[in-house]
Amino acid sequence: MGTTPPVTYRRLVKEVLNRGDYAIIGELIEPGSKVLDLGCSEGELLEWLMDNKNVRASGVELNRERVQQAIARGVSVYQGDIDQGLIDYPPKTFDYVILSQTLQQTLKPLKVLKEMLRVGKQIIVAFPNFGHWSVRLSHLLSGRAPKTGLFPYDWYDSPNIHFLTVDDFEDLCREQKWGVERRFFLSGNRRVTVMPNLTAEIAVYMIRESEKNL
Amino acid sequence: MIVSTQSVRFDSIQLESGVVITPVDVAYQTYGELNANRSNAILALHAFTGDAHAAGISEESGKPGWWDNMVGPHKAFDTNKYFVICANVLGGCRGTTGPSSIDPQTGKPFAMSFPMITIGDMVRLQHKLVTHLGISRLLAVAGGSMGGMQVLEWAVRYPDMVAAAFPIATTGRHSAQQIAFNEVGRQAIMADPDWNGGNYYGQNPPRRGLSVARMVGHITYMSDDSMREKFGRRFKSREGIAFAFDDEFEVESYLRYRGSQFVDRFDANSYLYITKAMDVFDLSQGFPTLGAALEQAKARFLVISFTSDWLYPSYQSLEIVSALRSRGKDVAYCELSSNYGHDAFLVEVGEQTELIRGFLGRVQKEAA
C-alpha cells in the first residue's frame, strides 16, 4: 500500500453493477488489498472486487438471506450487526473498510466511523446527500418529510434513521480531524463539482485518521 | 452409485498420550475421481456414530451413506468435480482400529486395554490416510458435530494442507452440559451388568445400557419444537392411557426403537472412548487462547450453526468465528434457521448445499 491510486477524472462514471458509487470505489481500491464491506448485502461489490481487483474480501451483513446469497458467491461474509460487529478485529486489519449507503441507517454513525477507522487503514464512505436541491424543494413545498427518488420512503417505514448532508459530513471530518483523501460527488452517473451540497445525490469520501493520530 | 469400503493398514500410530498402537487399520470410502494434479480432494469427517460410508449405496448393507444428500453428482460436494474421502475414526467400530479390534499382543479384543484417544489422534490417522492416497493438500475438510471438531483440528494442525474448512454445528471445546450428557451415556453403559468391565466380546453386549445411552443422545439431537411436531403427546395405540409402564407415548416408542436399533450397529466400548475424546477436546490446548490456536490456520473458513441447536448452540460457533476474526483470518459465518435442533446439520440440506457449493467453487477457482 502507500501511494494512492490514480483516479481518472471522467465526467461520466462508467457504472459498476449499475451503481455510480461502486464505480468510484472500484477505481479507488488497489489490487490485491484486504477489504471489508459493512452492510455488504448479497456481496455483489465484494465479488466484483475479487474478480477484478483480486482483493481479499470480507463482509458484514445483518440479514440472513442476504448473508446466504453472499456466501454462495464465495464471499466471506459474517452474519451480524455493524454497530457492534467490528469489535473482534485488531487495529488496521484491512487496507480499506467500505460503508456504502448504509451510514444513514446505523444507530450510532459516529461510533461506526470511528470503529472503521480503527480497523481500516483507509475508509470509504458513500452516502445519499440530504442537502440535494430536490430534497430541500420537496420539504419546502410539501411541508412533509421529503420523498424523492433518492429518499423514496414514507417516514414510518424508512430504513434511514439519520439524515446528513455533504456539509454535515465535511463539518464532522473537520471536528474529528480526519484526513479526507478524496471526495467525489455524483448526480446519477454524472460527476458534479460545483456546489456539491446542493447538486450531489451521492457523496463518496475516502478518509484516513489524521497524521498526528497515526 | 454403489460403493464399497476399503481398508489400509499402517505399521503404527503414535498417540498424543505417547502410546503407540501397532498396527492400525483405517476403513475408508472414496467418491469421484482424483484429478491429475491431485488438487480436488475433500475430506468428509463423520460425527460421533457415523462411519466411512458417507455417500452412495453401500455394497455391503444396501443403505445410503450418512451424508448422501450432500455428497454425490451435482450435490453440495459434487463428485463430478471433487474427489471425496471419508474414513471411520480411530476408536470406532466400523472397520478402523478401536476397542473391539483384536490386540495382536493377546489375540483378544482390546476392550478397556485400548489406549485413550483424542480428536487429535483421529486427525493424525486421517492425515496418514490422506498422505497414503498421494494427496498433499486438501481442497476442503468438512464435517458436523464431532466431524466439525476434526475440521478445526485439521486446520490448526496441518494448516498448509487445508484450503477451505467447513466446521458445522460444532465447538472448539465441550461445555459442561455437553460433557454431562455424554457422562450419562457412559454411566448407563457401565451400569449394565453385561458391560462386565468392557469384557463382553463373544458374550451378551450391554444392550440395555447402550440403548439408554442412545436414547439420551437422541433427545439432545432434537429440539422441543421438532419433538412436539413429530410426537406431541400422541399415544402409540388408540386406547389411550394404559396405566402401565409400556411405551404408550409415541416418543417413548421412538426412543426405544432407536435405542434397540443402535446396539446392533455400535460397540459400547467405542461409545465410551469416542465420547471421552469429544469431552477432552479443547482446540486451545497448548496455546494461551483459542485465537492463538487458530492463528496457525491458513484455510478459508465457512462456519455454520443452526438456530434451534441447543446441544451445539450458535454461541460456540461464534467463539470460533470471533477468535478467527481477532487474528484477521478469512471467515464466513451463517446461522441457518431450522427447527430440527442438532439434527439440522444432517437434515437441512437445501441451504447448506447453496452455501457450500458456492463457497467451494470460489475456493477451487482461487486455488487453480
Side-chain angles (χ1 to χ4, degrees):
Chain A
M1 303 311 304
T3 55
T4 316
V7 174
T8 42
Y9 284 84
R10 281 193 296 268
R11 198 140 170 82
L12 277 176
V13 171
K14 191 163 175 285
E15 292 181 345
V16 165
L17 308 168
N18 298 318
R19 292 264 300 256
D21 56 337
Y22 282 0
I24 287 171
I25 293 168
E27 285 197 50
L28 285 172
I29 283 179
E30 267 194 58
S33 55
K34 215 172 156 187
V35 179
L36 174 68
D37 186 5
L38 300 178
C40 65
S41 191
E42 297 181 1
E44 304 96 326
L45 174 62
L46 287 173
E47 185 187 36
W48 188 89
L49 290 170
M50 287 164 88
D51 287 339
N52 294 279
K53 293 276 179 160
N54 192 31
V55 304
R56 233 185 103 185
S58 303
V60 178
E61 170 61 45
L62 188 57
N63 178 283
R64 178 180 290 143
E65 283 75 34
R66 291 187 197 141
V67 172
Q68 287 173 222
Q69 289 301 318
I71 295 174
R73 289 172 195 268
V75 183
S76 292
V77 172
Y78 165 81
Q79 184 186 344
D81 191 340
I82 62 173
D83 275 307
Q84 46 184 299
L86 305 187
I87 286 168
D88 293 328
Y89 290 120
K92 309 301 174 203
T93 300
F94 300 96
D95 296 309
Y96 305 95
V97 180
I98 301 167
L99 186 66
S100 183
Q101 303 198 33
T102 313
L103 183 64
Q104 75 281 2
Q105 299 176 6
T106 58
L107 268 172
K108 301 199 164 168
L110 182 56
K111 192 177 160 227
V112 169
L113 289 168
K114 283 181 174 172
E115 268 293 273
M116 289 171 71
L117 284 162
R118 183 182 69 80
V119 302
K121 292 170 189 158
Q122 299 181 87
I123 71 170
I124 301 172
V125 182
F127 59 89
N129 173 30
F130 206 64
H132 188 258
W133 63 266
S134 65
V135 181
R136 300 189 197 193
L137 206 58
S138 165
H139 185 52
L140 185 69
L141 297 181
S142 73
R144 293 184 165 81
K147 273 172 77 173
T148 69
L150 202 55
F151 296 92
Y153 308 99
D154 282 310
W155 63 271
Y156 47 82
D157 68 354
S158 174
N160 303 323
I161 54 175
H162 295 284
F163 298 94
L164 74 160
T165 71
V166 167
D167 284 353
D168 286 329
F169 197 76
E170 288 284 345
D171 288 347
L172 182 67
C173 291
R174 210 174 304 119
E175 278 165 32
Q176 298 291 329
K177 301 187 169 60
W178 292 333
V180 177
E181 304 241 305
R182 295 291 177 84
R183 43 172 79 74
F184 301 90
F185 305 105
L186 289 172
S187 174
N189 62 347
R190 196 169 50 84
R191 287 195 54 207
V192 295
T193 47
V194 182
M195 301 211 295
N197 198 37
L198 202 57
T199 59
E201 290 177 327
I202 302 288
V204 184
Y205 280 75
M206 185 157 84
I207 299 166
R208 63 166 74 230
E209 285 181 311
S210 67
E211 292 303 319
K212 59 181 166 190
N213 287 347
L214 281 175
Chain B
M1 182 169 67
I2 303 292
V3 292
S4 61
T5 304
Q6 304 169 65
S7 185
V8 58
R9 171 165 292 187
F10 298 107
D11 290 343
S12 66
I13 182 171
Q14 170 142 20
L15 306 177
E16 280 185 41
S17 62
V19 176
V20 177
I21 303 179
T22 318
V24 61
D25 294 320
V26 186
Y28 69 98
Q29 294 189 356
T30 67
Y31 324 94
E33 299 291 329
L34 187 61
N35 63 12
N37 53 4
R38 298 165 184 262
S39 64
N40 68 334
I42 294 170
L43 184 61
L45 299 161
H46 70 73
F48 172 25
T49 65
D51 57 22
H53 180 39
I57 301 299
S58 164
E59 195 177 60
E60 295 89 10
S61 71
K63 288 181 178 163
W66 60 269
W67 227 7
D68 189 53
N69 51 21
M70 293 286 283
V71 180
H74 310 297
K75 295 178 185 172
F77 299 99
D78 186 347
T79 50
N80 290 336
K81 290 184 190 165
Y82 308 118
F83 176 66
V84 181
I85 308 157
C86 183
N88 187 211
V89 295
L90 181 65
C93 52
R94 309 280 293 166
T96 295
T97 299
S100 59
S101 305
I102 300 295
D103 179 354
Q105 308 233 305
T106 63
K108 291 188 214 156
F110 281 101
M112 298 310 277
S113 73
F114 194 71
M116 297 305 284
I117 47 154
T118 63
I119 297 291
D121 293 330
M122 296 174 185
V123 167
R124 284 177 191 212
L125 186 57
Q126 288 152 5
H127 178 260
K128 277 181 184 285
L129 173 65
V130 168
T131 307
H132 165 76
L133 294 173
I135 295 155
S136 56
R137 186 170 163 82
L138 291 159
L139 182 63
V141 288
S145 200
M146 186 182 85
M149 296 177 184
Q150 295 162 55
V151 170
L152 297 170
E153 182 76 16
W154 259 99
V156 168
R157 192 184 291 258
Y158 303 109
D160 292 315
M161 288 185 70
V162 183
F166 300 88
I168 303 165
T170 193
T171 181
R173 61 189 154 208
H174 264 181
S175 65
Q177 179 176 269
Q178 288 159 323
I179 295 168
F181 279 117
N182 277 347
E183 176 63 2
V184 171
R186 285 190 293 265
Q187 288 302 324
I189 290 167
M190 291 169 144
D192 186 334
D194 286 338
W195 179 62
N196 190 31
N199 297 309
Y200 51 79
Y201 298 107
Q203 304 163 44
N204 279 336
R207 301 181 64 88
R208 288 163 296 171
L210 184 57
S211 171
V212 170
R214 186 58 171 173
M215 290 165 80
V216 174
H218 263 289
I219 299 167
T220 66
Y221 304 152
M222 293 185 277
S223 70
D224 188 27
D225 268 351
S226 69
M227 289 179 91
R228 201 161 47 208
E229 197 173 296
K230 192 165 182 168
F231 313 110
R233 287 183 51 83
R234 282 191 298 279
F235 293 106
K236 201 179 138 196
S237 67
R238 281 154 189 266
E239 275 93 72
I241 302 170
F243 298 103
F245 288 106
D246 298 334
D247 53 340
E248 57 186 343
F249 287 105
E250 273 190 15
V251 64
E252 293 173 312
S253 167
Y254 172 83
L255 288 175
R256 289 185 192 193
Y257 172 74
R258 285 305 193 125
S260 68
Q261 286 275 298
F262 185 62
V263 299
D264 294 330
R265 71 173 178 89
F266 210 80
D267 176 56
N269 287 338
S270 276
Y271 195 107
L272 302 178
Y273 278 91
I274 296 175
T275 55
K276 201 64 179 176
M278 279 193 269
D279 288 348
V280 301
F281 174 66
D282 183 348
L283 189 63
S284 65
Q285 197 179 11
F287 297 93
T289 60
L290 185 62
L294 285 163
E295 173 80 59
Q296 313 299 314
K298 294 179 181 172
R300 288 192 69 186
F301 282 79
L302 170 54
V303 180
I304 299 172
S305 67
F306 297 90
T307 50
S308 59
D309 185 349
W310 58 275
L311 186 60
Y312 289 80
S314 292
Y315 82 82
Q316 293 186 324
S317 287
L318 278 167
E319 276 176 6
I320 296 161
V321 172
S322 177
L324 284 165
R325 281 158 59 111
S326 76
R327 303 293 161 146
K329 301 290 177 184
D330 191 322
V331 53
Y333 168 66
C334 190
E335 181 191 48
L336 292 176
S337 177
S338 172
N339 281 335
Y340 285 104
H342 188 53
D343 272 339
F345 87 91
L346 290 170
V347 180
E348 298 286 3
V349 176
E351 288 177 332
Q352 284 191 90
T353 297
E354 201 185 338
L355 295 183
I356 290 172
R357 180 192 281 147
F359 200 82
L360 197 52
R362 184 90 214 182
V363 172
Q364 194 193 29
K365 202 166 125 189
E366 287 165 359

